[in-house]
Amino acid sequence: MFKLKNFRKRSLWILHYNAGSCNGCDIEILACLGPTYDLERFGVLNRGNPKQSDMLLITGPVTYRSRERVVELFTQMPEPKVVVAVGSCTCTGGVFSGMYNVEDGVDKYIPVDVYIPGCAATPEYIIDGVLKGLELLEHKSKEIVKPKKLFKKLSFHKDHIDRRGIAGKVGENDGKD
Amino acid sequence: MSTTTKAVDMQIPLGAQHISLLEPVKFTFTTQNEKIVDVGSDVGFVHRGVEHACSSKFEFKQVGFVVARICGLCAITHSMCYTAGVEKLLDAQVTQKAKYLRTLLIELDRIHSHMLCLSHTCENAGFEAMFMSLMGDREPVMGLQEAITGNRVQFDYITIGGVTREFDAQTAQKIIQVLGQTQKKIEGYIEEFQNNWSLSKKFEGIGALSPEGAYEYNAIGPLARACGLQVDVRNGLDYLPYKEVGFTTITQTGGDIHARNMVRLYEILNSIKMCRNIVEGLPEGEIQTKVRGKPQGEVITRLEAPRGELMYYLKGENKKVLDRVRIKTPTFATIPAMIEIFKGQDYADAPAILASFDPCLSCTAK
């Protein structure tokens, strides 16, 4: 029988976005995709397209200018989806916490499923985190997941959800963001 | 049916999120029939406010570790450049052994950074196998960094007054062995980059910059050396022993992507030679000296990061917190030259040209 769930388990596509990190975690993600650590043996591929991705790998403490992009990318991804925060500064703000242009941690904006600590997170940790996210993906439903901030409203185009209209801009809603 | 086509300006955005980019940067290309006629760039997506935090929140002893978090690829050059400035202000004496160990780590960092850039250029030119091969050969160098400092990317190795660790004879043997292997691999890559049709022919003449253009638009680092300009800060450094360990400036002619790749490859060979000289001729002595006092006065320090000249301006008023930390990063200085190179090229080549600059946006935006 055709079960999409089984196929998804063996071919996870990831979307990687740098929301203000120092590049350290990003090059470790790149090293994971290289031949030594070889994340691809689990069927994981890095695709730059949010509409085809199952997992958002996000690095960096979310700077003021990248928060709209983070929410936009998150809402463009179809459910079920998993968010993995890579690196200490992504989890809590780390060394950048309290700087004037930084939100402390990505979980103020979008719900995070797996937190990977470390500055920079080592490839072994990243592989563990991605596989943990893969386990969580099996239990996720197709219900729409809303970002914690910058959520506009669900808009429908015919009978489909129009994902273009979901994410808001800073200062657009009510000044709370 | 009319056969005349009118040239229409078309705007194509690249970024802020794109598969060929590691970091968020936005280029807006104005194109006419595939040819790029104008470029606008927006680099501020990763601005965090490190400079302000360094002169308000952190004490001068901590700042060395904070500025390392500006960039993961050239973390060691940032902390080295800052530490050299503070040591000048404090009149600190650093032992010869610590200087040698600092140079060793900076050069190992350069090797892995250049290899990452080369593999990224190959990937963006559509040569996935070469990308994988280079990434695989880069891992032993990362292993060396882990063996020496305890971490793969953010080392926190350089402190005010010296370095934090030293290595034993077994690790020294391992370093020599891995450097030998890497040298053989790199010699193979030089052969490949020069003769492989899908690399050399694809890159030759693409993204070219003339020496006059490089001079006029303030190109630095491998971008300028690929045009034949003798621009390397390592020539005149007084706080690191580059002359003793066998440093030579590498230059190429042509100024295109191919020349930039060749500069990087030959620089890796030169760095391997320097690392070997350092490990074999490591002086005896302590690695850490006690430093007292608080920074007083102004200082400017420079260092050659993998992407070009890095400059720090520090000002202290005899307090724990510095008055001003100003950082001038290599990629920021090369943006005018980048924009000049893009003009007149095909849009299809844009990702490969961009990767060949090896841009570091988290340095640029800080």
Side-chain angles (χ1 to χ4, degrees), chain B residues 133-165:
Chain B
S133 164
L134 270 160
M135 287 300 283
D137 292 336
R138 176 177 161 267
E139 282 303 322
V141 183
M142 303 295 278
L144 282 188
Q145 292 174 348
E146 194 173 9
I148 297 170
T149 68
N151 208 349
R152 280 165 55 92
V153 176
Q154 292 285 2
F155 312 121
D156 292 344
Y157 188 62
I158 293 172
T159 55
I160 297 170
V163 293
T164 51
R165 288 184 178 201

Side-chain angles (χ1 to χ4, degrees), chain A residues 22 28 63 65 97 100-101, chain B residues 42 45 47 57 72 139 152:
Chain A
C22 72
E28 294 296 62
T63 58
R65 286 203 52 200
S97 63
Y100 69 84
N101 211 32
Chain B
D42 185 351
F45 289 99
H47 174 63
K57 190 178 158 194
E139 282 303 322
R152 280 165 55 92

Side-chain angles (χ1 to χ4, degrees), chain A residues 131-146:
Chain A
L131 294 184
K132 195 84 194 164
L134 199 56
E135 272 173 39
L136 292 173
L137 189 71
E138 288 182 50
H139 306 295
K140 292 255 173 177
S141 70
K142 285 200 162 187
E143 207 178 317
I144 294 283
V145 188
K146 294 175 184 173

